[in-house]
Amino acid sequence: MWSDNSFSQKVGIKYPIIQAGMAGGITSPELVASVSNAGGLGSIGAGYMTLKDLQDTIQKVKSLTKETFSVNLFTPEVVTVDQAKVDQANEWLSHFRHDLNITETPEVKTVTDDNFKQQIDLIIEENIKICSFTFGIPDQDIIDKLKSKGILLIGTATTVDEAIKNEEKGIDIIVMQGSEAGGHRGSFLDSHQTSMIGTMALIPQVVDQVNIPVIAAGGITDGRGLVAALALGAEGVQMGTAFVTSLESGSPDIAKQAILKSHEVSTVVTSTFSGKPARGLNNLFIEQMSKYEDALPQYPIQNTLTQPIRKSAAKEKRIEYMSLWCGQNLRTLNSKSASDIIKDTVAQADKVLGQIK
Amino acid sequence: MWSDNSFSQKVGIKYPIIQAGMAGGITSPELVASVSNAGGLGSIGAGYMTLKDLQDTIQKVKSLTKETFSVNLFTPEVVTVDQAKVDQANEWLSHFRHDLNITETPEVKTVTDDNFKQQIDLIIEENIKICSFTFGIPDQDIIDKLKSKGILLIGTATTVDEAIKNEEKGIDIIVMQGSEAGGHRGSFLDSHQTSMIGTMALIPQVVDQVNIPVIAAGGITDGRGLVAALALGAEGVQMGTAFVTSLESGSPDIAKQAILKSHEVSTVVTSTFSGKPARGLNNLFIEQMSKYEDALPQYPIQNTLTQPIRKSAAKEKRIEYMSLWCGQNLRTLNSKSASDIIKDTVAQADKVLGQIK
């Protein structure tokens, strides 16, 4: 069965499993390479990376695998600073900073797409085969440029209309992110609230409306989820949370442990950390900040403001102030290597298929 | 494959498909019988029925089918009237009543479990084989009484802990309601917000934790969903929305038409109609009442207060004031007979199984 999969053939991988390009240091070169070496598609989460970081990471991954891997970028929005909102947010954040002995307030400035454009050029230079996007669709000139180099483009969407828009713009493959998914919501057309569609409902509605391959994401951690996604009409799956707790993940151990002992009811969707809705474990920071959620600076300004808090909290093992992104399927997770996750997922999928048929 | 299914064998049906016992007149005797005659499990949604209505409905179903069907009951909560809240709600509701020329304000009184106990006795008298519950688990004496008569009991849960509690109390089969599901949320332990778990994430976590058969509900409308649910470890599916728009459904035509032309982003979860969270199409009533959501009388008091509004709105075809319960998988719906829904679902499931392996 696996050798027939058209998505795998298109991408040049053995099994139709994408490791999500999670930003913030989770996708270590070892994780990306381990996934690709095992036959899946490893992905560098380059969303917040400087050009230098991305270049170093790509080099490191290349030294660890000869297989195909991808780079995930955040489609940029040009955002100007609303100083009154920033001042207010800094006031609300001051007691967290105080508690962590952070004396400086991060500098915020107008966000441009300069870094994104340089990332695109680097991807071309480095001869990366697959490039994926979160938070919307890049401008047509960027899409055309990448496609003219033969780079395969993967978009992210949370509704049928967002998927159709990706197809119209020339995106080759679409990852459909169900409401179960951990981390940031990829919604870019409808509001976050109306775009919280469960994977079981989302996939059949999308595959009926688009002609590009659909990849299911959200709530999938094992072979059961893989077979379910294929049954719904997807050609593959993207798994994020399952790899967050893998041995190779760059996630801090304290975060991995917290996620591994959590349950399906442990997560919330919050904008308090970054200014954009994202799913993760509920904690004190979220509880204390959620009342200000509608008045916070927009993404990525709020992300910049909370960055030292999250970084320092991770260092001090203060889990109550960390962003602990993860999805709703937590009881099925365990701590093993990323290559074993791929291997076990495929083996379980084969077993499930034998059982239900 | 279908003849091996242990849930079907246990219940005495051909295909592991339950038609949800939706209350409020949707589950006409014709719908219930059509499902059971086609090999699924038809269910009478008796939640709001008087004893007389339930008796008439059971008789009618019996005249239309010799196959097994079930009765779904709402596990009662004893609720006393908070008159200040009722007065306030009546004030907020007055302009809807005025707009519909409703001159009387419904009488509300303390809610007891008298009707529920009589429904239980009737189910025993009528020799009903399967009884299902929503909104929690009945008292142990009720469970013991039904089980002593050989009646198979189906519970409803939205989290793993709720499923475990059902199993501990002796419930035989558990329907797991994912966040995609239409109509009322069956949550009874955790808050509604934390219990919004997508079906894809919910089912694997539950099947790993309980030994009774698990039935997947939420976002499933066709054979793709059936196979996906089986892959996740469920032994069957419960479909509600798919049957709301069936030819035999008792839903008003105007509601069916509105649901049939809606999309995955058209629904919201609201307590404004009944005092309990339920998923349905967003409309003016919900938009205008949602700001009072936290101050409304609790279920079923609020349900009583809005009942004449919903009834009159249906009669006047004023869709903006009706409760239009449905789930998130709407684009895949169509208008056909319930027996064709069962037949087509099974045929599609067989086809899907052939394709994915």
Side-chain angles (χ1 to χ4, degrees):
Chain A
M1 127 193 214
W2 304 113
S3 56
D4 293 345
N5 185 283
S6 67
F7 161 72
S8 301
Q9 286 177 354
K10 199 166 193 168
V11 175
I13 53 179
K14 199 167 169 191
Y15 304 118
I17 303 169
I18 302 178
Q19 161 252 312
M22 299 164 284
I26 291 170
T27 63
S28 66
E30 292 74 17
L31 172 58
V32 177
S34 178
V35 170
S36 288
N37 283 332
L41 182 67
S43 310
I44 297 173
Y48 301 125
M49 282 188 189
T50 64
L51 201 64
K52 175 77 171 65
D53 282 348
L54 179 54
Q55 187 154 32
D56 290 350
T57 306
I58 290 173
Q59 296 301 340
K60 189 74 197 288
V61 174
K62 282 182 175 174
S63 76
L64 296 170
T65 184
K66 298 290 162 229
E67 304 298 328
T68 304
F69 63 95
S70 80
V71 174
N72 178 264
L73 302 178
F74 288 167
T75 307
E77 299 156 64
V78 174
V79 175
T80 53
V81 176
D82 179 333
Q83 195 58 47
K85 278 195 166 183
V86 169
D87 292 344
Q88 177 62 77
N90 277 326
E91 196 186 310
W92 290 328
L93 293 169
S94 64
H95 85 271
F96 302 108
R97 293 194 185 120
H98 180 78
D99 196 13
L100 291 162
N101 298 311
I102 298 167
T103 50
E104 291 192 29
T105 303
E107 190 198 349
V108 289
K109 48 188 180 188
T110 297
V111 180
T112 71
D113 58 0
D114 291 351
N115 190 50
F116 177 73
K117 285 180 170 165
Q118 290 170 345
Q119 288 178 324
I120 295 287
D121 289 338
L122 180 64
I123 281 168
I124 292 169
E125 263 171 55
E126 290 284 349
N127 200 22
I128 299 297
K129 298 276 188 297
I130 325 263
C131 183
S132 63
F133 301 102
T134 312
F135 302 151
I137 310 165
D139 291 341
Q140 198 65 50
D141 60 329
I142 301 273
I143 292 176
D144 294 344
K145 191 175 181 177
L146 290 165
K147 293 192 78 162
S148 75
K149 304 289 177 186
I151 298 172
L152 207 62
L153 305 184
I154 304 180
T156 305
T158 63
T159 66
V160 173
D161 284 352
E162 289 177 351
I164 291 171
K165 190 71 87 181
N166 268 274
E167 182 174 34
E168 283 171 359
K169 294 273 186 179
I171 298 294
D172 301 298
I173 291 161
I174 187 74
V175 171
M176 295 308 306
Q177 186 190 35
S179 57
E180 297 93 333
H184 280 89
R185 302 292 306 154
S187 306
F188 62 95
L189 283 183
D190 287 293
S191 83
H192 143 62
Q193 281 86 354
T194 55
S195 305
M196 292 294 286
I197 316 299
T199 304
M200 186 70 92
L202 183 59
I203 304 303
Q205 295 183 87
V206 174
V207 298
D208 287 348
Q209 301 289 333
V210 302
N211 295 305
I212 54 176
V214 169
I215 304 301
I220 300 166
T221 61
D222 60 21
R224 295 175 287 189
L226 172 54
V227 176
L230 297 178
L232 294 174
E235 295 192 22
V237 296
Q238 177 169 291
M239 307 200 299
T241 309
F243 291 108
V244 169
T245 58
S246 70
L247 298 177
E248 297 92 335
S249 149
S251 176
D253 273 340
I254 187 173
K256 289 185 192 181
Q257 292 312 316
I259 292 169
L260 282 169
K261 68 176 191 227
S262 290
H263 292 161
E264 78 283 4
V265 296
S266 308
T267 73
V268 290
V269 175
T270 183
S271 302
T272 56
F273 280 113
S274 72
K276 238 189 216 301
R279 186 182 289 285
L281 296 187
N282 196 13
N283 65 7
L284 191 66
F285 181 90
I286 297 171
E287 278 170 12
Q288 294 189 343
M289 288 297 291
S290 60
K291 58 180 168 293
Y292 310 125
E293 202 152 12
D294 295 336
L296 295 173
Q298 75 180 106
Y299 173 90
I301 308 284
Q302 177 69 3
N303 194 64
T304 303
L305 295 182
T306 66
Q307 201 263 349
I309 294 170
R310 289 176 285 123
K311 199 172 165 181
S312 169
K315 208 172 144 192
E316 306 285 331
K317 301 193 194 308
R318 297 286 297 273
I319 199 125
E320 69 272 28
Y321 295 159
M322 293 168 66
S323 57
L324 303 159
W325 304 138
C326 60
Q328 292 188 313
N329 192 345
L330 298 178
R331 292 179 191 254
T332 59
L333 301 178
N334 47 43
S335 175
K336 55 187 175 187
S337 75
S339 58
D340 280 347
I341 292 174
I342 299 285
K343 208 165 59 185
D344 294 351
T345 297
V346 173
Q348 191 185 22
D350 283 328
K351 196 175 146 208
V352 164
L353 276 168
Q355 282 166 347
I356 58 171
K357 195 153 180 181
Chain B
M1 124 193 217
W2 304 113
S3 57
D4 293 344
N5 185 283
S6 67
F7 160 72
S8 301
Q9 286 177 353
K10 199 167 193 169
V11 175
I13 53 178
K14 198 168 169 191
Y15 304 119
I17 303 169
I18 303 177
Q19 162 253 313
M22 300 164 283
I26 292 169
T27 64
S28 66
E30 292 74 17
L31 172 59
V32 176
S34 179
V35 170
S36 289
N37 283 332
L41 182 67
S43 310
I44 297 173
Y48 301 124
M49 282 187 189
T50 63
L51 202 63
K52 175 78 171 63
D53 283 347
L54 179 54
Q55 188 153 34
D56 291 349
T57 307
I58 290 172
Q59 296 301 339
K60 189 74 197 286
V61 174
K62 282 181 176 174
S63 76
L64 296 170
T65 184
K66 299 291 162 229
E67 304 297 328
T68 304
F69 64 93
S70 80
V71 175
N72 178 264
L73 302 178
F74 289 168
T75 308
E77 299 157 61
V78 175
V79 174
T80 53
V81 175
D82 178 334
Q83 195 57 47
K85 278 195 167 184
V86 169
D87 292 344
Q88 177 61 77
N90 277 326
E91 197 184 311
W92 290 326
L93 293 169
S94 62
H95 86 272
F96 301 106
R97 294 194 185 120
H98 180 78
D99 196 12
L100 291 162
N101 298 310
I102 299 168
T103 49
E104 289 194 30
T105 304
E107 190 198 349
V108 290
K109 48 189 179 186
T110 297
V111 180
T112 70
D113 57 2
D114 292 350
N115 190 50
F116 177 72
K117 285 180 171 165
Q118 291 170 344
Q119 288 178 323
I120 294 288
D121 289 338
L122 180 64
I123 281 167
I124 292 168
E125 263 170 54
E126 291 284 349
N127 200 23
I128 300 296
K129 298 276 188 297
I130 325 261
C131 182
S132 64
F133 301 101
T134 312
F135 303 151
I137 309 165
D139 291 340
Q140 198 64 52
D141 59 329
I142 301 273
I143 292 175
D144 294 345
K145 191 174 181 178
L146 290 165
K147 292 192 78 161
S148 75
K149 303 289 177 184
I151 299 172
L152 207 62
L153 305 184
I154 303 180
T156 305
T158 62
T159 65
V160 173
D161 283 352
E162 289 177 352
I164 291 171
K165 189 72 84 180
N166 269 276
E167 182 174 34
E168 283 172 358
K169 294 273 186 178
I171 299 294
D172 300 298
I173 291 161
I174 188 75
V175 172
M176 295 307 307
Q177 185 191 36
S179 57
E180 297 93 332
H184 280 90
R185 303 292 306 154
S187 307
F188 61 94
L189 283 182
D190 287 292
S191 84
H192 143 62
Q193 280 86 355
T194 57
S195 305
M196 291 294 285
I197 317 299
T199 304
M200 186 69 93
L202 184 60
I203 304 304
Q205 295 183 87
V206 174
V207 298
D208 288 348
Q209 301 289 334
V210 301
N211 296 307
I212 53 177
V214 169
I215 305 301
I220 300 166
T221 60
D222 60 20
R224 295 175 288 188
L226 172 55
V227 176
L230 298 177
L232 295 174
E235 296 193 22
V237 296
Q238 177 169 292
M239 306 199 299
T241 309
F243 291 108
V244 169
T245 57
S246 70
L247 299 178
E248 298 91 336
S249 148
S251 176
D253 273 341
I254 187 173
K256 290 185 190 180
Q257 293 312 316
I259 292 168
L260 282 169
K261 68 176 191 226
S262 291
H263 292 161
E264 77 284 4
V265 297
S266 307
T267 73
V268 290
V269 176
T270 184
S271 302
T272 56
F273 280 112
S274 72
K276 239 189 216 302
R279 186 182 290 284
L281 296 187
N282 197 14
N283 64 7
L284 192 67
F285 181 91
I286 297 171
E287 278 169 13
Q288 294 190 342
M289 289 296 293
S290 60
K291 56 181 169 294
Y292 310 124
E293 201 152 13
D294 295 337
L296 294 173
Q298 75 179 106
Y299 174 91
I301 308 283
Q302 176 70 3
N303 194 63
T304 302
L305 295 182
T306 66
Q307 202 262 348
I309 294 170
R310 290 176 284 123
K311 200 172 164 182
S312 170
K315 209 172 143 192
E316 306 286 330
K317 302 196 195 306
R318 298 286 296 274
I319 199 125
E320 68 271 28
Y321 295 159
M322 292 168 68
S323 56
L324 302 159
W325 303 139
C326 59
Q328 292 188 314
N329 193 345
L330 298 179
R331 291 178 191 254
T332 59
L333 301 179
N334 46 44
S335 174
K336 55 187 175 188
S337 76
S339 58
D340 280 346
I341 292 174
I342 299 286
K343 209 165 59 183
D344 294 351
T345 297
V346 173
Q348 191 184 22
D350 283 328
K351 197 176 147 206
V352 165
L353 277 168
Q355 283 167 345
I356 58 172
K357 194 150 182 187

